[in-house]
Amino acid sequence: MSNVLLVDGDNLLTIGFFALKNHFHKGEHIGGIYHFINTIRFFIEKHHLDKVVVFWDGENGSQTRRSFYHQYKQNRRERIRTEEELNSYSRERNRIKQYLEDLYVRQGEYENCESDDSIAYYVQNSPNENKIIYSGDGDLTQLVCENTRLYNPSHSKMYHHNDMFVYKDEEILIQNIKLVKMICGDSSDNIAGIKSLGISKLVTAVPELKERELTLDYIKEKYNLLFENDKNNKSIKNLLTG
C-alpha cells in the first residue's frame, strides 16, 4: 500500500506563522512558509511518502455546522488581530499554495467545508492506503485506525490505533475520544455536553474508557446500574435523560 500524508493546511500554516515571528526575507515575513515547506520535506524523508495531500479551510467553512448549531465556534477569539497580520497571513497562504503546485503536492479546498471535513472524507474513502494525518485538531482522533495514524504537533507525537491520548488532563484510549466529546461536549468548539458531567466524573464512573473501545449504549448501561445505587446524583440523571 502507498504511504500518504494528509495535512491540515491552515493548522500547519498557523503554527509556523506565529512560532517563527522573526523569519523575514527582504522585509517580508516568511515564517509560515518556511515552517510549512520544511515540515512536509521532513515527513517525506522520514516516512518515505508516496503522496502528500494538503487540505485548506474553504470559504464559509464553518457555515454548514452553524446552520444547525449556531453556537459552533462562537467563543473563539481571532488570533490575527491587525490588518498587517491579516495581509501577511493571506500572502503566505497564497505563496504556499503556489509552491505546492510546483512541488506536485495535491491540494483540496471546498466551499462550506473545513479542512477536517475533507480529511475525514478522504480517510473514509481510501481503504488501501497507509495514511498519516498532520493536525493539532483533537476531533481527528476519531479517524485513527489500523491504517491511519495522527501526528499531533501540539504533542509532538504520532498516535496509533490503541494508543492512549491525553484529553483534558485525562488519559483515554484514542478510539474513545469521540465518545467522550459526545457526552462531555467540546469547549474548544463551544459545544455543550451533558450538564454536571465533566470528563473526570465520566472516567471515574467508567474507567473502561482507558482500556477498550466502548459504545454509547455501554455507557448508558453502566449509568443505569449506578442510578440504582444513587438515584439523587444529578450527573447520572442528566446522562440518562439526555
Side-chain angles (χ1 to χ4, degrees):
M1 290 196 294
S2 58
N3 298 317
V4 181
L5 176 67
L6 306 175
V7 180
D8 183 341
D10 289 283
N11 182 255
L12 178 53
L13 171 56
T14 300
I15 291 170
F17 184 81
F18 287 103
L20 280 67
K21 291 183 177 180
N22 298 320
H23 278 56
F24 287 85
H25 178 68
K26 295 183 179 180
E28 287 190 336
H29 182 257
I30 61 166
I33 298 171
Y34 179 85
H35 179 71
F36 198 106
I37 300 300
N38 272 287
T39 298
I40 289 180
R41 177 188 60 79
F42 172 80
F43 270 79
I44 289 173
E45 292 176 353
K46 182 174 182 179
H47 299 284
H48 308 290
L49 299 172
D50 300 297
K51 181 168 65 175
V52 177
V53 186
V54 176
F55 290 105
W56 302 93
D57 289 337
E59 186 177 356
N60 298 320
S62 301
Q63 198 57 45
T64 300
R65 290 187 176 97
R66 284 189 181 140
S67 66
F68 58 84
Y69 189 79
H70 71 271
Q71 301 99 322
Y72 178 66
K73 288 187 177 179
Q74 293 290 355
N75 60 333
R76 292 196 179 184
R77 295 180 181 178
E78 292 293 334
R79 293 189 68 183
I80 299 176
R81 297 177 182 176
T82 68
E83 186 175 352
E84 182 181 0
E85 282 185 332
L86 182 62
N87 291 336
S88 179
Y89 186 92
S90 179
R91 174 181 54 78
E92 292 187 54
R93 193 176 191 264
N94 290 331
R95 281 186 64 183
I96 288 170
K97 288 181 179 180
Q98 293 167 7
Y99 292 157
L100 294 180
E101 288 297 317
D102 293 337
L103 294 169
Y104 301 102
V105 171
R106 296 163 175 81
Q107 301 179 74
E109 182 176 355
Y110 309 101
E111 187 177 2
N112 298 321
C113 283
E114 295 181 348
S115 55
D116 54 351
D117 299 321
S118 302
I119 290 172
Y121 182 86
Y122 187 103
V123 168
Q124 292 165 356
N125 289 276
S126 57
N128 298 319
E129 294 178 337
N130 289 317
K131 297 168 284 291
I132 297 173
I133 301 170
Y134 184 101
S135 178
D137 188 342
D139 290 340
L140 294 175
T141 53
Q142 64 190 289
L143 297 175
V144 174
C145 58
E146 293 294 345
N147 64 351
T148 303
R149 293 172 285 168
L150 171 68
Y151 181 82
N152 187 308
S154 301
H155 300 179
S156 299
K157 183 175 178 180
M158 183 80 75
Y159 289 97
H160 303 72
H161 189 64
N162 289 327
D163 276 352
M164 300 300 288
F165 188 91
V166 177
Y167 181 66
K168 304 289 186 182
D169 299 322
E170 292 286 351
E171 271 202 340
I172 299 166
L173 189 70
I174 198 164
Q175 292 97 292
N176 289 325
I177 296 295
K178 65 179 177 182
L179 185 59
V180 171
K181 284 174 174 275
M182 287 165 58
I183 295 169
C184 299
D186 188 346
S187 58
S188 67
D189 286 340
N190 202 32
I191 297 173
I194 301 294
K195 191 175 180 180
S196 301
L197 184 57
I199 292 173
S200 60
K201 283 186 179 180
L202 178 63
V203 173
T204 300
V206 191
E208 300 95 314
L209 287 163
K210 298 173 178 281
E211 300 163 2
R212 63 183 188 276
E213 187 171 0
L214 304 181
T215 65
L216 187 58
D217 285 339
Y218 180 91
I219 300 287
K220 288 181 177 178
E221 207 172 295
K222 188 77 180 280
Y223 267 75
N224 269 315
L225 294 174
L226 294 172
F227 184 65
E228 292 300 317
N229 298 317
D230 191 0
K231 295 184 182 293
N232 295 316
N233 188 300
K234 287 184 179 180
S235 63
I236 295 175
K237 281 184 178 179
N238 290 340
L239 184 137
L240 294 175
T241 61

